[in-house]
Amino acid sequence: MKKIRSALISLSDKSNLKPLLQELRRNNIKIISSGGTFKAIKKLKFKCLDVSDFTGFKEILNGRVKTLHPKIHAGILNKRSSKSHSNDIKKNNFENIDLVIVNFYPFEKTIEQTKNHSKIIENIDVGGPTMVRAAAKNYNDVTVITSTDQYSELINELKKNKGSTSLEFREKMSRLAFSETAYYDVVISNYFNKFNSINFPKRKILYTNLIENLRYGENPHQLGALYSQNKKNKLEQIHGKTLSYNNYNDILAAITISKSLPKNIGTVIVKHGNPCGVSALKNNLDSYQSALESDPISAFGGIVSCNYKITQKLAFMLNKIFLEVIVANGFDKKALKILKSKKNLRLIDSSKISLSETWKFNSLDNFTLIQSEDKKIFSKKDFKIVSKRQPSKSQLDNLMFAFNVCRYTKSNAIVLASNKSTIGIGSGQPSRLDSCEIAINKMNKFSKIKNEIVAASDAFFPFVDGIEKLVQSGASAIVQPAGSIRDKEIIKFANETNTVLVFSKTRHFRH
C-alpha cells in the first residue's frame, strides 16, 4: 500500500470533479493544480495550490510551459526506496507527488471540428502526457488517473484502503495510462500523415476504441471483438438480441453496398458477406420486393439493408420472412411496433454512418495488407462502348447498376440485372464460367423477367465461352473490364450476336 499525501490535477475535461475532490479532502490530500483546473477547483470551494506557487516559477510561453519543471517531475519520478533519489529530493528541497490526475487537450475532438492547422497544433498536449508517462513509469510509488471514467474506481480504492492505493490498482492504472498516451500520439501521427497526404508511412499505426466484446468470433472456438475509430458505435441497435461477429460482418458488407446507391434509394440483401439481392428502384416497396425475388431462398436468415427509412407497409412485408438483421436509415414508430413483435430480430439504425474515408485490412500472423476501399463513383466516362450495337439509355443505366453490385460481390463475380434490380448473382468461384452458370441458374429459378437482361463481370472474360453462355441465357448487353488478350475475339462475338458490349476502364476484384 502507498499512502497518498499529495495530488497534481490538470484537466481538459473537468466534469465529475466534485465527488473526487471530496474524497481527496476526506483523506487530507494536498492538491496542486494550474490554469483552468485550478480555477474550477477553487470555484467548487476546495483548497488548492497553484503550480506556479508550488514550483516558484511562473508559467511562460502563453501556458505552453507550466508543469514542465524539475520540481514536478522529480516529485513524480522519485523512487521512494532509492537512497540516491531521496538525497536528491532533500538536496533540492523538493517533495513527493503521489497521485497524478490528468486528461489531455481534446486533439481528436479538435480535428473533427476544424481544419485550422494552427488551432489543431495548439491542441497537442505536451505537459499532460509527459506527467502521465512519468507517473505510469513510477507506478510502484505513484498512482495515475487518465479518465473521468476512472474516478469512481479511485474513490472506492481510497475508501477501501483509508487513503492508500494497492500495487495492483496502480499497475492497472499505469497500463491504462500508457494505452492513453499511445492512443493520443497515434491520433496526432495520423493527422500529420493525412495533412501531408501520406497514405503509407514507414510506420502505419492504427487507433481504435473497443465498442463491444463479442461472444466469439466467426466460430465458437475463436475470440472476437468490435473496434471503431469512433468512441461510440454509430451503428445504433434499437432492438433484438446481441449481434455476433458474423452479423457485424454481413451488416458492414450490406451497408457498403447500400451507401454506394443513390441517396435514400435501394435495398440490399446479404448472406455470408455476399449480396443475394439488390434493387435501386425509387419506390421502396418495389425495391425490397425486387431484391427479395432475386434469390428468396438465400434471403432466408439473411440481412436486409434499406438505404431509406422503413415505413409501416414495408415492415409488414419484412415480417413475413425470417431475417437476422434489418438495417435502415431510421424506422417510423408504426414500423418499429410491427418489427419489435419479433423479440430476437435485430434492428439497426445506420443513418449516422458515413463511408467517406475507409481502408480495408487483411491480416495473417504479423503481416497486414492495407488498401483503400473501392469507392469509385461511376460515370458514363468510365465506360467505352466497343460493340456495333449501341445501348439504349435504360440498358446503359442497368449495366452501370449491375457493375456496381458486381464490385461488392466476391470474385469471380457475375451479376445479371434488369430494371435496376439483380435477377441472378454468381459469386466467389475460382472459375468465371462457374459464376456465370450460378447466376444464370438463379435467374432461371426465381426471375420472371425475360427481357432486357444485362450482365456484368468484375474482371475481363479470358475466353469467349463466358460471354457466350450469358448471351445464350438471354443477356442483350454485357459490361466487363478491358484487358484480355482475347478482347478482339469477344468484341467479334458480340457483333456476330448483335449484343451490346461495354468495356469498363477499371477492374473490380473483391477477395
Side-chain angles (χ1 to χ4, degrees):
M1 292 294 169
K2 292 289 180 179
K3 187 76 174 174
I4 293 177
R5 293 182 174 83
S6 63
L8 193 151
I9 307 177
S10 179
L11 305 169
S12 176
D13 179 359
K14 301 171 184 65
S15 60
N16 304 323
L17 251 181
K18 193 172 182 178
L20 176 64
L21 294 172
Q22 287 173 334
E23 186 60 30
L24 297 182
R25 182 169 63 187
R26 194 175 292 119
N27 287 281
N28 297 315
I29 295 170
K30 176 182 178 180
I31 299 173
I32 307 158
S33 190
S34 66
T37 309
F38 175 79
K39 291 175 184 176
I41 293 171
K42 296 295 282 185
K43 190 175 180 180
L44 290 169
K45 298 181 180 179
F46 289 88
K47 288 182 180 180
C48 184
L49 180 64
D50 187 86
V51 162
S52 295
D53 294 330
F54 178 75
T55 61
F57 191 92
K58 288 186 178 181
E59 65 179 60
I60 59 172
L61 307 182
N62 299 119
R64 279 192 169 194
V65 176
K66 47 191 172 188
T67 58
L68 296 169
H69 190 279
K71 190 169 185 179
I72 297 289
H73 289 280
I76 297 171
L77 284 164
N78 168 34
K79 289 170 68 174
R80 279 47 163 180
S81 61
S82 168
K83 287 185 178 181
S84 62
H85 282 205
S86 297
N87 289 336
D88 284 341
I89 292 292
K90 288 177 183 178
K91 182 180 176 181
N92 289 282
N93 197 28
F94 290 167
E95 56 186 271
N96 291 331
I97 295 173
D98 308 306
L99 171 63
V100 172
I101 304 174
V102 172
N103 55 54
F104 308 147
Y105 293 169
F107 183 85
E108 194 170 8
K109 189 175 180 180
T110 302
I111 59 176
E112 289 172 359
Q113 295 176 341
T114 183
K115 292 185 178 180
N116 185 316
H117 187 64
S118 297
K119 187 175 181 180
I120 289 169
I121 294 302
E122 287 308 312
N123 274 277
I124 296 176
D125 202 331
V126 176
T130 305
M131 288 188 291
V132 164
R133 284 177 62 82
K137 176 178 179 176
N138 201 26
Y139 71 86
N140 193 62
D141 296 305
V142 179
T143 304
V144 60
I145 300 294
T146 52
S147 169
T148 56
D149 295 338
Q150 298 165 1
Y151 288 178
S152 59
E153 201 171 349
L154 173 63
I155 290 168
N156 290 336
E157 181 77 3
L158 293 173
K159 283 180 178 177
K160 183 174 67 175
N161 300 307
K162 298 178 181 179
S164 297
T165 60
S166 65
L167 178 61
E168 182 184 15
F169 177 79
R170 294 193 302 277
E171 192 172 26
K172 175 185 176 182
M173 292 299 123
S174 171
R175 171 175 57 82
L176 295 174
F178 279 121
S179 294
E180 193 69 20
T181 56
Y183 180 92
Y184 193 74
D185 282 339
V186 171
V187 176
I188 296 168
S189 172
N190 275 267
Y191 166 74
F192 274 102
N193 285 327
K194 185 177 177 182
F195 183 75
N196 290 283
S197 300
I198 299 171
N199 291 321
F200 302 113
K202 184 177 180 180
R203 288 186 172 88
K204 183 78 171 177
I205 313 168
L206 309 178
Y207 64 95
T208 57
N209 297 277
L210 178 64
I211 299 299
E212 185 181 352
N213 279 304
L214 304 174
R215 283 185 302 156
Y216 49 78
E218 204 164 3
N219 298 291
H221 63 278
Q222 294 171 266
L223 301 176
L226 176 69
Y227 281 81
S228 172
Q229 280 195 359
N230 300 301
K231 291 186 177 179
K232 291 184 178 178
N233 189 357
K234 288 190 177 182
L235 283 172
E236 183 185 358
Q237 183 172 357
I238 53 182
H239 180 69
K241 63 182 182 180
T242 305
L243 291 162
S244 70
Y245 179 98
N246 293 332
N247 289 150
Y248 273 117
N249 195 45
D250 284 351
I251 288 168
L252 296 175
I255 289 175
T256 303
I257 305 172
S258 286
K259 298 298 181 182
S260 74
L261 301 175
K263 188 176 181 181
N264 296 321
I265 291 175
T267 308
V268 178
I269 304 176
V270 165
K271 190 76 170 286
H272 295 301
N274 269 311
C276 56
V278 182
S279 175
L281 292 174
K282 288 184 179 179
N283 181 288
N284 296 337
L285 299 178
D286 292 341
S287 173
Y288 167 68
Q289 192 61 42
S290 294
L292 179 63
E293 288 173 356
S294 176
D295 188 349
I297 291 178
S298 294
F300 183 86
I303 285 178
V304 174
S305 177
C306 301
N307 198 31
Y308 47 81
K309 191 173 185 178
I310 291 180
T311 60
Q312 182 184 25
K313 283 186 178 180
L314 182 56
F316 277 122
M317 294 171 70
L318 289 163
N319 248 14
K320 289 180 181 178
I321 69 166
F322 168 63
L323 297 167
E324 288 279 357
V325 185
I326 298 174
V327 184
N329 291 341
F331 302 78
D332 69 25
K333 289 183 180 179
K334 290 181 179 178
L336 275 179
K337 187 175 180 181
I338 294 162
L339 296 172
K340 283 184 175 180
S341 64
K342 294 185 176 181
K343 66 177 184 177
N344 290 330
L345 175 63
R346 292 99 158 177
L347 303 178
I348 308 293
D349 188 334
S350 64
S351 56
K352 294 178 183 177
I353 291 288
S354 171
L355 301 181
S356 55
E357 293 180 28
T358 50
W359 292 90
K360 287 180 68 64
F361 298 88
N362 186 15
S363 61
L364 175 66
D365 195 26
N366 60 346
F367 298 101
T368 302
L369 282 168
I370 305 175
Q371 65 171 343
S372 58
E373 178 58 277
D374 186 357
K375 299 182 299 175
K376 181 176 175 61
I377 298 171
F378 295 131
S379 70
K380 291 178 182 178
K381 293 179 182 179
D382 298 309
F383 300 91
K384 182 182 179 182
I385 301 161
V386 294
S387 59
K388 290 178 182 177
R389 182 179 174 183
Q390 298 294 298
S392 65
K393 183 182 182 304
S394 64
Q395 278 181 320
L396 191 55
D397 288 344
N398 276 313
L399 284 168
M400 290 172 66
F401 164 79
F403 197 59
N404 182 58
V405 175
C406 212
R407 65 168 158 171
Y408 296 115
T409 306
K410 297 290 172 63
S411 299
N412 287 315
I414 299 293
V415 172
L416 297 172
S418 181
N419 194 27
K420 289 192 177 178
S421 303
T422 61
I423 55 174
I425 299 175
S427 61
Q429 301 304 306
S431 163
R432 192 163 299 278
L433 196 60
D434 287 345
S435 293
C436 288
E437 289 178 352
I438 291 170
I440 292 165
N441 289 339
K442 295 278 187 183
M443 176 183 69
N444 291 337
K445 188 173 183 178
F446 302 117
S447 179
K448 298 172 185 176
I449 297 169
K450 298 299 177 187
N451 63 318
E452 203 173 84
I453 298 166
V454 305
S457 174
D458 61 347
F460 60 69
F461 287 99
F463 302 99
V464 174
D465 54 2
I467 191 172
E468 182 179 20
K469 191 170 282 290
L470 293 174
V471 170
Q472 288 172 349
S473 72
S476 59
I478 296 170
V479 60
Q480 66 150 73
S484 170
I485 58 172
R486 294 183 177 84
D487 276 353
K488 288 182 180 179
E489 292 178 34
I490 290 168
I491 294 170
K492 182 183 176 184
F493 177 83
N495 289 331
E496 288 174 349
T497 55
N498 197 30
T499 302
V500 172
L501 183 62
V502 177
F503 278 177
S504 163
K505 295 176 183 178
T506 51
R507 187 190 72 186
H508 295 276
F509 278 145
R510 193 174 193 86
H511 296 105

